[in-house]
Amino acid sequence: MELFVLSFTIFILALFVGIELINKVPPTLHTPLMSGTNAISGIVIVGAIISAGSSDLSPNVAGVLGFIAVTLASINIVAGFMVTDRMLNMFKRKG
Amino acid sequence: MMFALINLSYLAAAVCFILGIKGMTRPKTAVRGNQIAAIGMLIAVVSALLHQGIINYTAILAGMILGGSIGIWLARRTATTEMPELVASLNGIGGGASVAVAASTWMQTVTVSGAGNSGWTAAILVSIIIGSVTLTGSVVAVLKLKGNIGDSRNNRLWHSVTLITLVAALIGAVLFTTDASTSPLALAVLIGLCLLLGVGLVQPIGGADMPVVVALLNAYSGLAGAATGFVLGNQGLIITGSLVGASGLILTAIMCKAMNRSLPNVLFGGVFGATGNSANKQDEG
C-alpha cells in the first residue's frame, strides 16, 4: 500500500511535468514530436525485459509473450528514434 | 545497493527524456533533443538488464536483435511520404508490447502464487485495455491514412459495436478484479473484446482527423506504459509513461487547435453523431 501511494504520487507529479513540457510547439514540429514521444513510450521494453527474463529456459506461454513483448518494443524504439531523426534532418536541410 | 543503482539509472533516463522532449519543441534543438531521448532509452535498457529477477537472457537478446533489425529495416525503407503511417504503426506495435507484458506478467504470477490482489489485477487490466485499444485503433488509423479503408457509411453499426464491447469489457474487467480469476481463457476473451473496442472507437472517425487520433493513441500508449509500471512496481516506467501520456494529450490538444477542431468533436463526433453526420441524419429521418 505504501509503495502504491508513493508510485501514485510520482505518477501525478510526472503528469504535470509532461503537461508543462509542451507549449507553443510550431506546427512543423508536431509530427516529429509525436514520433519522438512515441519512441519514448517504447520504455515499456523495461517491463518486457523483466517479464521475458524471469521465466526459465523451458518454453512456456508467459516466456513466449515476454519474447514477443521485447521484440515489439525493440521495433518501436529503434524505428521510432531513427525515423524521428530522419524527419528532423529533413527540416534542417529545408531551413 | 544494486536496487538503488538501478533506480537511480531510471531517474537518469527520465531526466534525459524530459530534456529530450523539451528540446524537440524547438526547431534549433530538435535533433539534439531526439538524441538525448535515445541515450535515455539506452540507459533504461541497460539498467533493466541488470534487474536481479532475470535468470535467462536468451529470449531477451533474441527479441532485441530481431526487433532491432526489423526496426532499422523499417526506418530505412520507409519513403518520406509514408512516415505518418509508420509512426502510427509503431504506436500500435508499442500498444501490442504493453498487452504482451501485462499478459506475461499476469500468467507468471498466477502460475506461481495464484491470483494477485485486486489493485494489482486492476493495473494489469488497465494496461491490457489501453494497450489493446492502441493496437487495433492504430491499425485502423494506418489503413485510413493509406486510404485502404474509406470512411464508414454505417456508423450506427459501429456505434453499437463500440457500446456493446465497452459494456462487455467493463463488466468482464470488474468480474475479473473482484473474482480474482486465474483462467487464461477469460483473459484472452477480455483481450479480444478490447481489441474489437479499438476498431469500434476509431472506425467512425473521419480519415481527415487521423493525425489527431494517432497523437491521442500515442498518449494512450504512454499511459499503458505507466500502468505496466504500477503492475511491476517500477518507478522508471511510471515516470516515463505518465510523461509521454501527459505530453501526448497536450500535443493532441494543440494539434486539434491547429486544425480548427475541438477534441470532443473529433472523438465523439463519430460515436454519438453530434456533428450532424450521416448517422444523426438517419436518426432524424
Side-chain angles (χ1 to χ4, degrees), chain B:
Chain B
M1 187 56 210
M2 205 57 182
F3 178 78
L5 185 69
I6 291 176
N7 278 285
L8 284 175
S9 313
Y10 286 143
L11 180 63
V15 170
C16 286
F17 294 143
I18 294 175
L19 295 175
I21 295 178
K22 187 78 201 162
M24 276 188 268
T25 57
R26 262 174 273 130
K28 269 190 180 171
T29 51
V31 177
R32 175 66 59 83
N34 187 44
Q35 287 162 353
I36 295 175
I39 291 170
M41 188 59 75
L42 186 68
I43 298 174
V45 168
V46 171
S47 28
L49 288 172
L50 296 174
H51 204 270
Q52 58 185 182
I54 298 178
I55 45 170
N56 157 29
Y57 281 92
T58 337
I60 298 175
L61 290 178
M64 280 168 67
I65 292 169
L66 179 64
S69 329
I70 298 176
I72 293 173
W73 179 73
L74 276 177
R76 290 239 170 103
R77 183 204 66 116
T78 309
T80 317
T81 46
E82 282 173 347
M83 280 180 180
E85 285 96 319
L86 178 64
V87 174
S89 326
L90 291 176
N91 206 6
I93 290 173
S98 307
V99 177
V101 171
S104 171
T105 312
W106 182 81
M107 291 192 74
Q108 271 164 14
T109 311
V110 163
T111 3
V112 174
S113 54
N117 64 44
S118 47
W120 179 85
T121 316
I124 293 255
L125 288 174
V126 170
S127 184
I128 281 180
I129 294 171
I130 304 177
S132 315
V133 168
T134 310
L135 174 59
T136 46
S138 298
V139 170
V140 176
V142 170
L143 292 176
K144 284 204 168 195
L145 280 171
K146 282 193 171 172
N148 287 358
I149 45 174
D151 292 339
S152 191
R153 267 180 224 92
N154 41 6
N155 273 352
R156 272 178 106 173
L157 175 74
W158 284 109
H159 303 162
S160 346
V161 170
T162 309
L163 275 178
I164 293 167
T165 43
L166 183 65
V167 170
L170 282 180
I171 292 174
V174 169
L175 284 178
F176 216 87
T177 323
T178 47
D179 273 10
S181 162
T182 53
S183 149
L185 189 69
L187 192 74
V189 170
L190 202 61
I191 293 177
L193 274 176
C194 298
L195 289 173
L196 191 61
L197 180 62
V199 177
L201 278 173
V202 178
Q203 178 60 30
I205 302 177
D209 286 330
M210 279 307 122
V212 176
V213 173
V214 175
L216 186 71
L217 290 173
N218 180 29
Y220 283 174
S221 71
L223 293 175
T228 315
F230 277 103
V231 171
L232 297 167
N234 186 312
Q235 317 288 344
L237 268 175
I238 296 176
I239 299 176
T240 314
S242 40
L243 210 58
V244 172
S247 59
L249 282 177
I250 296 300
L251 186 62
T252 311
I254 294 177
M255 284 174 76
C256 274
K257 222 177 173 183
M259 291 170 75
N260 229 345
R261 302 275 277 147
S262 79
L263 190 55
N265 204 312
V266 170
L267 290 183
F268 305 114
V271 177
F272 299 117
T275 47
N277 58 20
S278 56
N280 204 5
K281 276 168 202 152
Q282 276 165 16
D283 284 344
E284 283 160 4

Side-chain angles (χ1 to χ4, degrees), chain A residues 9-76:
Chain A
T9 311
I10 290 174
F11 172 68
I12 297 295
L13 291 179
L15 280 180
F16 276 97
V17 175
I19 293 171
E20 288 302 317
L21 269 179
I22 308 247
N23 45 20
K24 288 184 189 160
V25 188
T28 43
L29 282 179
H30 285 173
T31 314
L33 187 61
M34 186 162 78
S35 172
T37 49
N38 174 44
I40 295 176
S41 72
I43 187 72
V44 77
I45 196 171
V46 168
I49 287 175
I50 295 170
S51 65
S54 9
S55 62
D56 49 17
L57 279 171
S58 62
N60 56 16
V61 183
V64 171
L65 281 171
F67 167 73
I68 294 174
V70 173
T71 311
L72 293 180
S74 306
I75 298 176
N76 188 357

